[in-house]
């Protein structure tokens, strides 16, 4: 296989880009500019400049409706505009959000949340426990078709009837304006994490009833309850969020606003960072990475999640397990992660990678498959020979008789170069692979609707329980893009949801992964890391292992962290950890 061709092309692209962009050790974001990552506007009180943090975390989101979002970029925006009953702090522990306390019955079936006094929506109207009742029932509404419905509410009593349209069957009740009682059909040890999950954010009934699905597409109708609210929205340009004066902890918010620049092209993001137009960018041009390594403003942080391929199991030839397995084994994961992805990702031998926690407190991966990897990533030549053998057994020796396959992906980061690699890797099997580049706004709905042969996919954990990712492949899960449907897999996942025995639960979850990998229900390729550029002018922010940047309690300081000292000697970073912050949902 001509791996060297791809590597040479990648190196040539890097060299050209480094020459075009100046290369070297240029510390983007430290350059002088008129804005320096803030937007200067006059305050009504007397002409001082507002403090607006300008960042880039992705292009136009598919949706920022909490019930419908399943992408990381939208999740980052929901993180700042909404707040759930509970939140997750920088230390990874659950803490209070809209609820000031919560308790659980001895049998684990009844969860009671006690809301804070005086909660408000961003429009100043009262927010009560009934708003959570409406919002959670809306997630179950079949007409809404929330992709996370089963994941976040499947364990609540009455869910089965609610998902069929009998919404009042869902056992979520408001005892009074400040007390929400949730009854589960079976104990769920991580239900607190779900109560901190953006899908279960409260949404305002009156606004949705008046505006329908369009409520979440305009600043004028986007009523929220978080630390910021959407004050301006220009599709293709930016979403501006302003400090929410009605947020219960508004006094702790230092920024006047956050400008989310909707930039899809990584080179444009990098240029904006270099000029100081933005102070943080998530999408770093991959060709710039060699020149950025070692720079103080370049960050690489592990997150829990897997970059994988979805095979459309409703289409030939992917209905044949041997074809699926052959395509998987033909991929040199070490080459993909360490050469094409320049070591920013790690090669995936399992579906469940590092960071997922088993019931015994160990990493789930340590206990998987008897402690052995499902795919031996150290012996690609043997894997390739096995792939050829499997394809022959499927009746497609050397690819003869196999129809042309289309691989769908969006063109950000490493996605295109991985697609080009797959063309060469699968050509070793005689497979003719065509690549279809799809813009981000259309990509996820296309994949969810099954309008593809093979598609790039990925998942970043919302919480560290392995069910969060394994549930993706449950037959009726709204995020099951490949339509994997296996009765034994479903049975293992159902047992994991209902058993009270942690050992039995662990066994069931591992059995599910065993089945998934044996059946090649999807093709794991690499484990995620986040890499980004961020100016030291930003203080008090943090990045979570779930792939989110928390700017709620951040500040902008011209001299960076050194000038962030407070009068009592605490730094802005230290001060922010004493304040309730929210960890939020989603995927990919």
């Amino acid at each position: 296989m001509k791996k060297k061709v791809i590597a040479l092309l990648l190196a040539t692209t890097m060299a050209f880009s480094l020459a075009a962009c100046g290369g070297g050790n240029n510390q983007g974001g430290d350059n002088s500019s008129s804005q320096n990552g803030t937007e200067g506007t006059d305050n009504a009180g007397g002409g001082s400049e507002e403090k607006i943090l300008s960042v880039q975390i992705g292009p136009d989101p598919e949706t920022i409706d909490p019930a419908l979002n399943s992408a990381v970029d939208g999740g980052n925006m929901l993180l700042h505009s909404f707040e759930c009953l509970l939140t997750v702090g920088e230390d990874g522990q659950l803490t209070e959000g809209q609820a000031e306390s919560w308790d659980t019955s001895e049998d684990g079936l009844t969860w009671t949340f006690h809301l804070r006094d005086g909660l408000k929506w961003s429009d100043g109207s009262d927010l009560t426990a009934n708003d959570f009742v409406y919002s959670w029932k809306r997630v179950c509404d079949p007409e809404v078709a929330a992709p996370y419905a089963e994941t976040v509410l499947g364990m609540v009593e009455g869910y089965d009837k609610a998902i069929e349209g009998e919404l009042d069957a869902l056992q979520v009740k408001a005892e009074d304006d400040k007390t929400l009682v949730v009854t589960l059909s079976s104990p769920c040890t991580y239900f607190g994490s779900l109560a901190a999950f953006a899908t279960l954010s409260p949404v305002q009934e009156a606004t949705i009833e008046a505006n329908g699905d369009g409520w979440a597409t305009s600043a004028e109708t986007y009523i929220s309850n978080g630390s910021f609210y959407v004050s301006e929205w220009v599709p293709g340009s930016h979403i501006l969020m302003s400090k929410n004066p009605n947020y219960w902890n508004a006094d702790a918010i230092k920024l006047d606003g956050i400008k989310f620049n909707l930039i899809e092209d990584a080179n444009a993001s990098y240029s904006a960072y270099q000029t100081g137009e933005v102070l943080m960018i998530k999408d770093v041009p991959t060709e710039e990475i060699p020149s950025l390594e070692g720079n103080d403003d370049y960050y690489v942080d592990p997150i829990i999640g897997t970059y994988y391929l979805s095979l459309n199991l409703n289409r030939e030839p992917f209905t044949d397990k041997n074809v699926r397995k052959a395509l998987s084994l033909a991929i040199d994961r070490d080459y993909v992660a360490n050469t094409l992805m320049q070591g920013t990702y790690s090669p995936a031998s399992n579906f469940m990678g590092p960071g997922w926690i088993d019931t015994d407190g160990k990493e789930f991966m340590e206990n998987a498959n008897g402690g052995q990897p499902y795919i031996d990533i150290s012996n690609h030549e043997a894997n390739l020979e096995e792939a050829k053998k499997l394809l022959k057994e499927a009746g497609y020796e050397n690819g003869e008789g196999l129809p042309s396959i289309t691989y769908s992906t969006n063109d950000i980061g490493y996605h295109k170069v991985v697609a080009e690699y797959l063309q060469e890797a699968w050509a070793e099997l005689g497979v003719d692979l065509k690549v279809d580049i799809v813009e981000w706004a259309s990509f996820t709905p296309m994949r969810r609707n099954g309008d593809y042969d093979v598609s790039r996919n990925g998942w970043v954990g919302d919480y560290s329980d392995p069910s969060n990712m394994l549930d993706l492949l449950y037959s009726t899960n709204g995020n099951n893009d490949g339509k994997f449907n296996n009765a034994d897999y479903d049975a293992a996942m159902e047992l994991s949801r209902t058993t009270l025995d942690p050992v039995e639960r662990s066994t069931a979850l591992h059995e599910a992964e065993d089945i998934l990998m044996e059946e090649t229900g999807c093709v794991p390729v690499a484990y995620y890391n986040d890499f980004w550029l961020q100016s030291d002018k930003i203080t008090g922010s943090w990045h979570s292992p779930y792939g989110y940047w928390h700017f709620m309690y951040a500040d902008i300081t011209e001299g960076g962290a050194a000038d962030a000292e407070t009068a009592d000697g605490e730094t802005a970073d230290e001060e922010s950890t004493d304040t309730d912050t929210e960890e939020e949902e989603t995927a990919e």
Side-chain angles (χ1 to χ4, degrees):
M1 183 171 57
K2 300 178 181 177
K3 294 180 187 174
K4 290 183 179 179
V5 175
I6 294 180
L8 181 60
L9 289 172
L10 188 63
T12 303
T13 304
M14 289 178 189
F16 175 79
S17 178
L18 290 173
C21 298
N25 295 315
N26 189 344
Q27 292 277 346
D30 289 333
N31 300 333
S32 61
S33 74
S34 59
Q35 292 185 326
N36 289 322
T38 65
E39 298 289 324
T41 56
D42 289 338
N43 283 321
S48 63
E49 284 194 342
E50 288 189 322
K51 193 177 289 186
I52 309 296
L53 175 61
S54 188
V55 301
Q56 182 273 335
I57 58 168
D60 287 278
E62 178 194 354
T63 179
I64 51 173
D65 182 331
L68 298 179
N69 179 68
S70 61
V72 173
D73 57 344
N76 266 284
M77 295 176 188
L78 292 172
L79 177 69
H80 295 85
S81 54
F82 282 91
E83 184 173 84
C84 295
L85 289 166
L86 307 181
T87 68
V88 179
E90 186 173 1
D91 61 0
Q93 300 301 308
L94 281 173
T95 188
E96 301 84 358
Q98 295 284 281
E100 63 181 358
S101 65
W102 70 99
D103 48 73
T104 311
S105 62
E106 189 172 336
D107 61 7
L109 295 178
T110 304
W111 289 64
T112 305
F113 299 91
H114 307 279
L115 274 61
R116 298 178 186 276
D117 290 330
L119 291 175
K120 301 284 186 183
W121 292 103
S122 56
D123 65 0
S125 59
D126 292 337
L127 187 156
T128 71
N130 280 300
D131 291 307
F132 282 94
V133 173
Y134 164 76
S135 304
W136 290 22
K137 288 180 178 179
R138 177 175 178 261
V139 170
C140 291
D141 191 337
E143 294 187 6
V144 173
Y148 267 110
E150 186 171 43
T151 299
V152 298
L153 293 173
M155 69 295 296
V156 176
E157 184 70 36
Y159 170 81
D160 291 344
K161 292 181 179 178
I163 202 67
E164 295 296 326
E166 192 180 333
L167 301 184
D168 289 340
L170 192 73
Q171 293 304 297
V172 179
K173 308 290 184 184
E175 284 194 350
D176 53 50
D177 285 351
K178 288 184 54 186
T179 309
L180 183 75
V181 179
V182 183
T183 304
L184 307 185
S185 56
S186 58
C188 178
T189 57
Y190 56 91
F191 190 72
S193 295
L194 298 180
F197 192 43
T199 301
L200 296 183
S201 299
V203 291
Q204 192 180 67
E205 180 176 8
T207 294
I208 295 175
E209 293 300 318
N211 298 281
D213 292 341
W215 79 274
T217 61
S218 168
E220 288 71 29
T221 56
Y222 196 73
I223 306 301
S224 60
N225 74 317
S227 48
F228 293 84
Y229 69 95
V230 175
S231 54
E232 184 175 276
W233 189 341
V234 181
S237 175
H238 65 272
I239 291 177
L240 178 64
M241 293 190 184
S242 297
K243 176 179 176 177
N244 179 8
N246 295 303
Y247 179 56
W248 68 268
N249 202 22
D251 289 346
I253 308 301
K254 302 175 182 67
L255 296 172
D256 295 301
I258 304 173
K259 183 179 180 181
F260 292 98
N261 294 272
L262 306 175
I263 307 173
E264 185 158 8
D265 181 72
N267 289 308
S269 296
Y270 186 58
S271 177
Y273 182 78
Q274 287 186 306
T275 62
E277 181 183 346
V278 298
L279 291 183
M280 174 269 173
I281 60 170
K282 177 185 178 183
D283 294 327
V284 180
T286 56
E287 62 268 19
E288 297 293 342
I289 288 173
S291 69
L292 295 173
E293 290 179 351
N295 288 4
D296 290 340
D297 61 345
Y298 175 65
Y299 296 84
V300 179
D301 209 12
I303 56 178
I304 56 172
T306 301
Y307 187 111
Y308 64 93
L309 312 181
S310 282
L311 309 173
N312 191 336
L313 304 189
N314 288 334
R315 291 186 181 179
E316 297 285 352
F318 312 112
T319 53
D320 190 319
K321 180 175 74 171
N322 283 343
V323 172
R324 301 194 299 267
K325 201 162 191 175
L327 293 175
S328 176
L329 287 173
I331 298 171
D332 186 342
R333 290 159 172 83
D334 181 73
Y335 175 74
V336 170
N338 290 315
T339 300
L340 297 184
M341 294 176 164
Q342 304 175 81
T344 56
Y345 288 28
S346 305
S349 58
N350 299 15
F351 181 59
M352 305 296 295
W356 300 99
I357 306 304
D358 211 334
T359 56
D360 62 359
K362 294 181 180 178
E363 286 213 344
F364 190 81
M365 193 176 184
E366 291 182 29
N367 297 331
N369 198 34
Q372 298 299 313
Y374 291 99
I375 301 169
D376 183 0
I377 58 177
S378 67
N379 196 350
H380 175 63
E381 293 306 320
N383 289 341
L384 183 57
E385 288 306 309
E386 178 67 14
K388 292 177 179 179
K389 177 183 175 183
L390 288 167
L391 204 60
K392 179 180 179 179
E393 290 177 5
Y396 302 109
E397 184 174 8
N398 298 321
E400 294 178 8
L402 197 68
S404 177
I405 296 171
T406 298
Y407 178 75
S408 301
T409 184
N410 58 313
D411 185 12
I412 291 180
Y414 297 107
H415 302 332
K416 187 174 181 180
V417 73
V418 169
E420 291 167 349
Y421 164 76
L422 289 174
Q423 285 182 306
E424 291 201 7
W426 289 350
E428 293 286 311
L429 302 178
V431 175
D432 176 28
L433 183 70
K434 303 183 187 307
V435 174
D436 180 27
I437 302 296
V438 183
E439 66 175 8
W440 176 241
S442 303
F443 180 63
T444 51
M446 173 210 72
R447 194 175 59 200
R448 189 178 301 117
N449 293 334
D451 298 329
Y452 70 92
D453 290 337
V454 182
S455 177
R456 180 199 70 77
N457 212 329
W459 191 262
V460 177
D462 308 300
Y463 42 91
S464 61
D465 189 273
S467 65
N468 177 236
M469 190 155 157
L470 288 168
D471 267 338
L472 292 176
L473 283 302
Y474 189 84
S475 59
T476 58
N477 190 290
N479 289 308
N480 184 2
D481 295 335
K483 311 308 177 190
F484 180 66
N485 190 341
N486 182 284
D488 291 336
Y489 186 92
D490 283 1
M493 291 306 299
E494 286 166 4
L495 177 58
S496 76
R497 296 170 182 171
T498 56
T499 181
L500 299 179
D501 182 343
V503 174
E504 185 177 40
R505 182 169 190 266
S506 174
T507 300
L509 290 169
H510 284 294
E511 181 183 349
E513 187 179 20
D514 290 344
I515 294 167
L516 176 64
M517 294 300 293
E518 172 60 27
E519 294 293 320
T520 316
C522 66
V523 179
V525 175
Y527 301 131
Y528 279 118
N529 294 307
D530 269 335
F531 52 97
W532 72 98
L533 286 167
Q534 180 171 317
S535 168
D536 69 353
K537 291 184 175 70
I538 303 175
T539 59
S541 70
W542 57 283
H543 174 260
S544 81
Y546 308 106
Y548 295 106
W549 284 266
H550 295 246
F551 296 118
M552 294 83 71
Y553 298 100
D555 200 357
I556 303 173
T557 307
E558 280 303 311
D563 283 357
E565 295 286 337
T566 60
D568 61 1
E570 289 186 325
T571 65
D573 284 303
E574 289 167 344
E575 186 177 25
S576 71
T577 61
D578 295 330
T579 313
D580 287 343
T581 55
E582 175 187 8
E583 187 284 316
E584 209 273 307
E585 80 116 350
T586 170
E588 159 180 10

